Every structure is written in C-alpha cells, then in structure tokens.
Amino acid sequence: MPVLSAMLGLICAASAPVLGEDVRPLPIELRIGRKAGPAFDPIEAMGAGIDGGQQGATDRLLTKHNVAAMRSAGLRPLTYRLRTELGIEAWHWNPQGTWSDPAHQQGYWTSSDRATKPIGNSWGYKLPRRGDTIDNANDDDYSRLTDGDLDSFWKSNPYLDAAFLKDGRPHHQWLLLRFDKPLEIDAVRIHWGTPYATAYKVQYWSSDNDYGPGAHWITFDYGSLTEGKGGDVLLKLAEKPVGVKFLRVLLEQGSNTAPPDAKDWRDRAGFAVREISAGRLAPDGTLIDVVQHKANKSGQTFAHVSSTDPWHREVDRDPHLEQAGLDRVFHSGLGNGRPIMLPVGVLYDTPDNAAAMLRYLRWRNYPVRQVELGEEPDGQWGNPDD
C-alpha cells in the first residue's frame, strides 16, 4: 500500500502568530489503498447556502424565478451563512428587541424571541470598539487602535473575562501590529482606556514570516509589567532596538475598573486601549513613532486583536450589510422542507442574543438540522478555547 508523508508546519500552526503558538512541524501520513473508505450520500452531504449581502440583495435574490432556478440544481440541504460575523458586526436578527441602555439606544442588543410580523430582512451593526484593520466582508472599516483618535478605543469582549466565564482558564487577550517590513523598536507607548491591564507583556515574533519554522513570541527585556496603572504610558523595552515585523501586547490581568457612571458589569470587564505607538526612543526621551495612525484601513498600520466588545449604538447600523430574515428563509422553499443548518453570532455578538434566536426558532417550530457557533471563526484566527 503506497504511503504519502508530508511535513506540514502550516497545518499545526494555522493560527500563529496571532495566538502566540510556537510553530512546530507536524508529520501527516496519508495511506492510499484499494480498500473502500466510509461511504457517503452526495444528496445528503452536498447542499446550497444563502448568504448576506449588500442592501437590497435579499429582494433581488429571493424572487420566485431565482428560487425556482436554485431549487432546480437539486441541492437539497440548505445552510444559512452569517456575513455579519465576517464583517465584525453585531447581528440584529430580529429588528424587534431591547438595548441594555434603552435611554440612549446603545449598549448590548438582544433581539426579541417573538415577532409581531414575519422577519423579512435583518441587518448588521458596526462595532465602534473595533480593533481589527481588515475584515472578511465589506472591509470598509478600520482599527481604533491606530486611528489617531484618543476619543475612540478598542475593547476586548467582556464575555471572555474570568469574572464571567469562571472556567479556570486564563483567556488572555492581546493586540497585534504588523509592519510591512522589520522596523527597529525599543519602546512602546500605550494610551490605556478603562478598564486597563495591570499585568501585561510586550513581545515580538522571532521570525519575519507568520509561519516561520520554530518561530515563537519573545518578551522584550523590559517588556513584562505587573503593576500597570493605566493612563498614558511610555515604556522602554530594551537597551538596543530589535528588528520587529510583528509586535504583540499580551494582556494578562485587568483592572476591573469602569468609566464614571457606568452601571453595566460589562463596562469593567476585559481591556481597553485608545491608541498604541511603537518605535525608538530619541536622545531626549521622546518616541520616534513608526506606527501609521489613520482612520482608514489603507493608511493605518495593520492591527489585529483577540476579540472585540459587541457594544454598539442604533446609529451604527450598516446599510451595506443585509441578511435575509429567518422567516423569509424558511418560507422561501430553498430548504426543500428539510431541516436547515443555521449559525448564531459568537465572535461579535452576545450569548443572550444567540439564545433568543434559538427560542424564536422553537417558537416558530422551524426544522433546524445543526447550529453553528459563528461564521468561520477559525478563518478569523478564533481561539477554540474562547
């Protein structure tokens, strides 16, 4: 029986360097023989999907003519794709619902598990506390970490805070900068928001390649802090500059503090950073910043983060990201009378909103085959532990 072997470092570290895992080659052995493998039914294993799109896409897609054409393809199982998760947006799957701060029409949204009329369309809402420069949907937003605005900030997902999870795991958060080429760095400046980190490490990736063999994170000589107090902090990281392409701040312990007048527990959970700069210290002690600070994705230094706070406002509705309403999908006929596989928002949503959607489906007595947690979280370097 022929044997095909390969050393695939990429497979074992598909999430490096953003999750901080060392890159270790993993031997993969494929045996090819004549013995028949497990059988599968193509009619059951292959199907169709319905995705989100631009404003008006649902009406253009779900016409009687188009639905008939799609059904004629013979793909019986149907899966619903969630573009809001790819676009770093919260999903108001039901336009009816409640805000955690109803007086200001902002906070954390929970769609109602009932509806006074069928849900025809639903929408995504941009997250003003976003930390990522790019996304996998419309890609028309930017990171608040390198936007040059000290009034904006990135905040990690409060539901990953130890005070909420209580699972005994650290769930450290992080922010990462990627430069176009290695740059000399011996200092970093962090404008902390609230809550801030009391314990954190400033690190660099040991390779210029995301997946360099044996690559790992290295903490700068003076990059480990255990008594952080927030505010505007300029840190000397080393005596001599280091050539850095990937820079990371690993956030280990939070202050558990909240802005004045905050009443929601989520306001004090996680970490918040208003702006980050990095570079070399000048002789007078000022920072020669190599980070590009712009409020657009093409002009700012690339930033990526471990998670994002799903806090948002009514004014953050994205007119360019629309999802077909759940009732409309189930009544379209695309499911061929079979159970449909549906996702719930995970990366950029709340557990309450996801649970409400499942209750709604049960209330409508809709057949559901499987429930996905998010939309391709692995492709966004989501940590399975989180």
Side-chain angles (χ1 to χ4, degrees):
M1 178 182 297
V3 176
L4 176 63
S5 297
M7 298 294 287
L8 300 177
L10 181 62
I11 289 180
C12 74
S15 50
V18 292
L19 293 184
E21 298 175 358
D22 293 350
V23 178
R24 294 179 292 273
L26 176 69
I28 303 294
E29 185 175 278
L30 303 176
R31 295 183 176 272
I32 303 173
R34 295 183 177 180
K35 185 177 179 180
F40 72 94
D41 184 352
I43 293 179
E44 295 295 331
M46 303 177 68
I50 182 169
D51 206 342
Q54 297 279 344
Q55 186 176 22
T58 303
D59 289 338
R60 293 190 296 270
L61 175 67
L62 296 182
T63 64
K64 290 183 178 180
H65 172 80
N66 288 344
V67 169
M70 287 184 279
R71 294 187 66 184
S72 70
L75 298 172
R76 297 182 183 177
L78 181 70
T79 176
Y80 185 103
R81 315 314 306 152
L82 192 50
R83 190 173 175 82
T84 55
E85 286 276 289
L86 298 178
I88 310 182
E89 300 191 6
W91 184 28
H92 289 211
W93 58 264
N94 185 349
Q96 296 177 302
T98 57
W99 293 99
S100 60
D101 182 1
H104 299 95
Q105 293 288 283
Q106 65 183 22
Y108 300 91
W109 171 264
T110 303
S111 289
S112 173
D113 59 8
R114 298 291 187 271
T116 56
K117 61 180 181 180
I119 302 173
N121 287 321
S122 58
W123 293 273
Y125 284 67
K126 292 189 175 185
L127 302 182
R129 299 174 177 177
R130 169 179 171 142
D132 287 290
T133 294
I134 63 173
D135 61 62
N136 296 312
N138 295 339
D139 197 20
D140 57 1
D141 211 338
Y142 55 89
S143 172
R144 289 357 181 229
L145 284 167
T146 55
D147 64 350
D149 183 358
L150 293 180
D151 289 329
S152 69
F153 59 91
W154 162 69
K155 187 171 181 290
S156 66
N157 193 321
Y159 290 95
L160 296 177
D161 192 278
F164 174 78
L165 285 178
K166 294 183 174 64
D167 63 353
R169 300 179 180 181
H171 297 280
H172 292 154
Q173 300 299 292
W174 43 260
L175 63 91
L176 176 147
L177 299 181
R178 184 190 70 200
F179 302 104
D180 293 336
K181 62 181 180 179
L183 300 175
E184 290 194 334
I185 291 176
D186 63 10
V188 67
R189 184 176 186 180
I190 304 175
H191 291 271
W192 291 103
T194 305
Y196 53 87
T198 58
Y200 59 99
K201 291 182 173 70
V202 184
Q203 304 173 316
Y204 62 94
W205 188 241
S206 64
S207 172
D208 297 344
N209 189 313
D210 300 39
Y211 307 105
H216 57 282
W217 288 106
I218 300 173
T219 302
F220 282 92
D221 291 344
Y222 310 143
S224 183
L225 287 299
T226 57
E227 297 180 357
K229 300 184 184 301
D232 178 6
V233 180
L234 177 60
L235 299 173
K236 179 179 179 179
L237 300 173
E239 293 296 335
K240 295 182 179 181
V242 178
V244 175
K245 184 171 182 180
F246 300 97
L247 179 74
R248 182 176 79 161
V249 181
L250 181 65
L251 308 167
E252 299 175 314
Q253 183 66 46
S255 63
N256 196 34
T257 53
D261 301 324
K263 299 178 181 179
D264 195 306
W265 69 267
R266 290 163 288 201
D267 291 325
R268 66 178 62 251
F271 306 89
V273 176
R274 295 189 178 278
E275 199 81 8
I276 182 169
S277 304
R280 296 187 61 179
L281 286 177
D284 63 358
T286 59
L287 179 68
I288 304 173
D289 191 8
V290 298
V291 174
Q292 300 297 311
H293 303 270
K294 296 288 183 181
N296 62 76
K297 70 182 183 71
S298 59
Q300 65 178 201
T301 294
F302 175 91
H304 181 48
V305 294
S306 52
S307 67
T308 299
D309 187 355
W311 186 99
H312 58 287
R313 305 157 297 184
E314 179 61 39
V315 296
D316 294 316
R317 175 175 157 178
D318 185 356
H320 303 297
L321 204 160
E322 177 183 286
Q323 298 275 158
L326 294 175
D327 293 313
R328 193 169 188 177
V329 171
F330 277 95
H331 290 287
S332 68
L334 288 174
N336 296 292
R338 303 160 62 92
I340 297 175
M341 182 166 68
L342 291 171
V344 292
V346 169
L347 295 181
Y348 310 109
D349 223 315
T350 69
D352 291 336
N353 199 34
M357 177 181 146
L358 298 180
R359 292 195 299 270
Y360 183 83
L361 295 170
R362 178 173 293 181
W363 175 65
R364 288 294 199 192
N365 199 30
Y366 287 142
V368 176
R369 180 163 59 102
Q370 292 171 306
V371 175
E372 288 185 271
L373 298 179
E375 169 76 17
E376 301 175 10
D378 55 334
Q380 301 184 66
W381 301 296
N383 188 341
D385 235 15
D386 294 345

